[in-house]
Amino acid sequence: MARTAVITGGTGGLGTAVISTFLETGWRVVAPVRAGSQERLPAGAEAVVADLTSQGDVEAAIAAAGPHLSAVVNLVGGYAGGGRVHETAVDDFEAMIRTNVRPTFLVTRAALPVLVANGGGSVVCVSSRAAVAPFPGAAGYVTAKAAVLAFANAVAVEYKGQGVRCNTVLPSVIDTPANRNGMPGDRSKWVNPAEIAKVILFLAGDDSTPMSGATIPVYGQA
């Protein structure tokens, strides 16, 4: 039976690269997606329609992965900028928390009992360089990505005795179609999604067994 990974955010520029990399190396991939977006997944991924801010939907998606779950990759998230802190609406600030932190928490929380029962496994979270090197005009995003990093470190500490590892990658600007549209200009220093995917695959697999609680920069040339 192939090892199973649940990978969120699978229809995005990074998500499609990560799913493809896992599939190419023999993993079974279960991908929770919004209704109507299943066709955007790489061929071979198993789609489960789910709202990742809903506890019930998340628990159903983890159940659909079955008993051979070995890895969880939390890619889902989003970015929104704005003014400085005093110019930021509280609803906009909280939206960044809901978009970036809540799905990571719910998916990891639902998966942990399965991973523990299986004798261990790997959780990989995606934060951002902004979490450790903030830039102005994005306080909600910066705070949310810092919270993802802190949450991952908490998981690493709490479950290390049960064989569950949790590590975090911090990309700079990822060279995706969405970022190209939103930030035209020099892309020579952006990081390629396929390069990040290889790092995530390593963190999910057996070769990284000694690693937990790591914060890994994947900045490319930026």
Side-chain angles (χ1 to χ4, degrees):
M1 177 67 68
R3 290 180 297 177
T4 298
V6 169
I7 302 177
T8 71
T11 60
L14 176 58
T16 54
V18 172
I19 288 178
S20 295
T21 298
F22 273 67
L23 290 171
E24 288 165 4
T25 51
W27 284 75
R28 172 180 173 245
V29 174
V30 175
V33 293
R34 294 175 179 170
S37 63
Q38 298 96 313
E39 70 281 356
R40 292 163 53 193
L41 289 171
E46 300 176 26
V48 178
V49 175
D51 173 1
L52 293 183
T53 65
S54 162
Q55 180 175 333
D57 280 13
V58 167
E59 290 174 350
I62 295 299
H68 299 287
L69 183 64
S70 297
V72 172
V73 181
N74 292 300
L75 302 180
V76 72
Y79 170 80
R84 294 184 296 164
V85 171
H86 78 282
E87 300 165 325
T88 301
V90 65
D91 288 347
D92 294 339
F93 186 88
E94 290 179 344
M96 282 290 90
I97 303 295
R98 182 176 179 84
T99 298
N100 290 283
V101 183
R102 184 179 174 92
T104 294
F105 169 74
L106 287 176
V107 172
T108 304
R109 178 179 182 270
L112 281 168
V114 182
L115 295 175
V116 169
N118 289 343
S122 176
V123 178
V124 183
C125 297
V126 175
S127 178
S128 168
R129 182 171 64 172
V132 295
F135 55 89
Y141 175 77
V142 168
T143 302
K145 288 302 187 181
V148 168
L149 176 57
F151 171 71
N153 289 339
V155 172
V157 169
E158 290 187 2
Y159 293 88
K160 64 181 180 180
Q162 295 169 289
V164 177
R165 303 176 293 110
C166 189
N167 297 288
T168 311
V169 296
L170 278 65
S172 59
V173 181
I174 305 174
D175 191 0
T176 64
N179 284 341
R180 288 187 175 213
N181 290 334
M183 295 181 286
D186 182 16
R187 302 185 294 268
S188 61
K189 295 183 178 181
W190 293 5
V191 61
N192 189 291
E195 295 173 330
I196 301 174
K198 292 177 182 177
V199 176
I200 292 173
L201 178 67
F202 168 74
L203 293 173
D206 296 337
D207 289 343
S208 62
T209 296
M211 296 176 61
S212 192
T215 300
I216 302 169
V218 282
Y219 298 165
Q221 300 301 312

